[in-house]
Amino acid sequence: MFAILRPPFPKHNVGPVQNGHSTQRGNIAKNPLEGFERIYEGDRSEIIWTEADITKFMAGAPDELQRALILAIHTGQRYGDLIRLRWSDFDGESLSLKQSTTKARVTVHCSETLRRMLDSTPRQGPYILTRADGRPWFTEGSDKELGKQWRVHIIEAGFYPRPLKEMTKAEKAGQLHFNDLRGTAVTLLDKAGVAIPQMCAVTEHTLQSATRILERYMARTSAMSRAAIQAFENSPATSFANRLQTGPQPAQGAGDKIK
């Protein structure tokens, strides 16, 4: 995680630097945080949607929310960019967009699953993701509506341990969010054997961000551990270790040296 030092400006001149307001007002020449990738609340890099979570969510979700989930985990893009994707951004094979945060141009080749979903989606307007009535998920004043409906379904599907109003702030922060699908896409690409630079070409994470997600994810999953032990058990290079047992030990011959 980046260590961010406070700039040596008087407090009353700095203002809400994180939003660039002081730069706009002319109090400082340049936003000192410009170029830094925003980190999720409390660094959410270890909060990942599992296969069981996705299955549970999809089971009773409306089609419009299912489409949003599929699009998110098959592209690894941000919420704000996904809800603004237009049909004109889809050429039948790939999705092209300019990321609102990084301003980077990204082309994501669509998986067969994603193409099938897009081909079966009614084109009710210019935007790919829409509400059930065809309206976009954002308005000029707000882009939070999909997030609100997402939370409604999360609650209905039984993801929360108890009513939302009874949960602490920390408990709420530990629950799955839509934005966690972006990190989930990174872990799925890793499971598929994709190298970190390649996955960053899809999601436009920085190398540091993608590595942080994978480091935290691998630390909490048993699947990686199981795969490592299976490889250990089946490799000729470690066969000597897999023959070890307690009891009288045979003499080691010249040809039995550990290599």
Side-chain angles (χ1 to χ4, degrees):
M1 184 183 296
F2 295 112
I4 301 176
L5 301 179
R6 294 187 179 275
F9 300 112
K11 187 173 182 181
H12 65 276
N13 284 338
V14 175
V17 173
Q18 67 272 21
N19 293 326
H21 294 170
S22 291
T23 305
Q24 294 171 5
R25 291 198 301 263
N27 293 335
I28 58 177
K30 184 178 180 181
N31 183 348
L33 304 188
E34 184 177 343
F36 283 87
E37 180 171 349
R38 183 184 298 276
I39 298 175
Y40 295 148
E41 306 165 7
D43 188 359
R44 302 181 61 82
S45 53
E46 67 177 359
I47 302 179
I48 300 298
W49 286 74
T50 66
E51 181 179 352
D53 294 327
I54 293 171
T55 300
K56 183 177 181 179
F57 181 91
M58 292 285 282
D63 288 350
E64 58 270 20
L65 297 187
Q66 292 187 20
R67 294 186 188 109
L69 185 146
I70 292 171
L71 190 61
I73 64 173
H74 280 261
T75 66
Q77 301 304 310
R78 294 177 177 85
Y79 172 95
D81 294 327
L82 291 174
I83 61 176
R84 289 173 174 81
L85 271 176
R86 294 173 173 265
W87 285 112
S88 57
D89 298 325
F90 176 53
D91 64 5
E93 295 291 331
S94 302
L95 287 164
S96 299
L97 68 144
K98 182 179 181 180
Q99 291 190 331
S100 57
T101 300
T102 65
K103 309 305 179 186
R105 284 282 179 186
V106 183
T107 298
V108 181
H109 184 75
C110 297
S111 64
E112 182 179 349
T113 294
L114 181 53
R115 285 199 304 272
R116 187 165 60 245
M117 187 273 284
L118 292 171
D119 289 341
S120 65
T121 299
R123 301 196 179 196
Q124 298 176 288
Y127 298 100
I128 293 175
L129 294 180
T130 66
R131 311 180 205 199
D133 60 6
R135 289 181 298 153
W137 283 111
F138 64 94
T139 64
E140 185 176 344
S142 175
D143 63 359
K144 300 183 184 302
E145 188 59 33
L146 175 58
K148 291 177 182 177
Q149 294 304 313
W150 192 272
R151 174 169 287 187
V152 167
H153 180 64
I154 283 279
I155 294 172
E156 291 175 346
F159 277 83
Y160 289 179
R162 57 180 182 276
L164 186 62
K165 62 182 180 181
E166 297 178 8
M167 294 172 61
T168 65
K169 185 176 180 179
E171 287 174 326
K172 292 176 185 177
Q175 302 302 311
L176 291 167
H177 295 176
F178 182 96
N179 282 334
D180 298 323
L181 292 170
R182 181 164 155 79
T184 302
V186 170
T187 66
L188 291 174
L189 288 166
D190 179 69
K191 285 183 176 181
V194 177
I196 291 180
Q198 291 175 309
M199 64 178 69
C200 289
V202 174
T203 67
E204 280 298 317
H205 277 89
T206 62
L207 292 172
Q208 296 92 331
S209 294
T211 301
R212 184 176 66 250
I213 290 169
L214 294 176
E215 284 176 343
R216 288 179 177 258
Y217 174 72
M218 287 187 290
R220 65 185 282 270
T221 179
S222 62
M224 298 295 291
S225 174
R226 187 181 305 111
I229 295 302
Q230 287 176 344
F232 181 91
E233 289 178 327
N234 295 311
S235 172
T238 56
S239 60
F240 79 92
N242 291 314
R243 293 195 300 267
L244 294 175
Q245 292 292 328
T246 57
Q249 303 295 307
Q252 181 173 296
D256 296 330
K257 292 181 180 179
I258 298 176
K259 297 179 180 180

